[in-house]
Amino acid sequence: MSITMMVLGAGRGDRFLPSLAAGLLVALVVGTGLGINAPLWSKSTGSAARPDGQESIREAVRCNVWLAALVYAWGASALFAIYSLSDVVWRHAFQYGLGAAIFAACIGLYGYWLGRANNRHVPPLFLTAVHGLAAAGGLVYLVGADKLATLKGDWAANEVFLWGGIAIIALCLMSAVTQTRIKP
């Protein structure tokens, strides 16, 4: 639904509808992430305090990885759809869409690997931090270079980058807090 509304808005030259549609999807993803992670954040009463706490934390982090893969897949789909189904033109849509699709597939494979029965470790916090900082750096560039105010054809892609970046940063923050709940 989000991608359909983004295509319709972009086709009409309406900048508000694609932003609203992307923002609502991100709200859903972040809300889902909070629902998965927040119960683990209390060291004394949360799920992390139980004997199977390490397993609960690993599963929550795996869910965060799957949500991140979903965000990248959504971004790829949105870029392909907007720039092939509307009159908006941007010459790099295919490259960025393909890059996001490959990244989604790689993160999805990582999530699959985390869920294997013989894999019992929690991913290192370092990976979460690097991912979050990379997304934050991209957002700083996007906002700092005033890319959101452009009148060129990449305005729709910038909405995908903005909202996708916000979702990834939020997921990384939630995952980092969850990962710090591991008992030594």
Side-chain angles (χ1 to χ4, degrees):
M1 177 87 100
S2 172
I3 294 170
T4 301
M5 299 312 295
M6 292 181 79
V7 170
L8 291 174
R12 293 190 329 217
D14 178 4
R15 290 176 176 244
F16 177 74
L17 188 57
S19 185
L20 176 66
L24 289 174
L25 178 92
V26 168
L28 179 65
V29 167
V30 171
T32 302
L34 282 171
I36 292 167
N37 291 277
L40 300 170
W41 292 346
S42 173
K43 286 189 178 183
S44 60
T45 61
S47 300
R50 295 194 312 240
D52 67 341
Q54 176 105 355
E55 181 70 20
S56 298
I57 290 170
R58 188 177 65 80
E59 283 303 308
V61 171
R62 188 169 71 96
C63 288
N64 295 338
V65 168
W66 280 105
L67 286 171
L70 172 74
V71 169
Y72 284 106
W74 163 81
S77 299
L79 290 173
F80 289 139
I82 290 169
Y83 290 103
S84 63
L85 299 175
S86 74
D87 292 335
V88 181
V89 177
W90 182 45
R91 64 184 173 149
H92 300 296
F94 180 77
Q95 293 96 327
Y96 280 85
L98 183 61
I102 291 170
F103 210 66
C106 291
I107 290 177
L109 286 172
Y110 181 61
Y112 173 76
W113 178 78
L114 286 175
R116 295 188 51 136
N118 60 353
N119 181 14
R120 294 286 175 223
H121 78 283
V122 174
L125 183 58
F126 173 75
L127 290 177
T128 304
V130 168
H131 191 194
L133 288 173
L139 279 184
V140 166
Y141 170 75
L142 188 69
V143 173
D146 206 26
K147 295 283 187 181
L148 297 174
T150 187
L151 298 175
K152 296 186 226 175
D154 64 345
W155 69 267
N158 292 338
E159 291 294 331
V160 172
F161 301 149
L162 172 70
W163 291 103
I166 290 169
I168 295 299
I169 291 169
L171 288 169
C172 287
L173 285 172
M174 287 184 274
S175 191
V177 171
T178 298
Q179 288 172 285
T180 62
R181 299 306 187 236
I182 299 172
K183 286 188 171 186

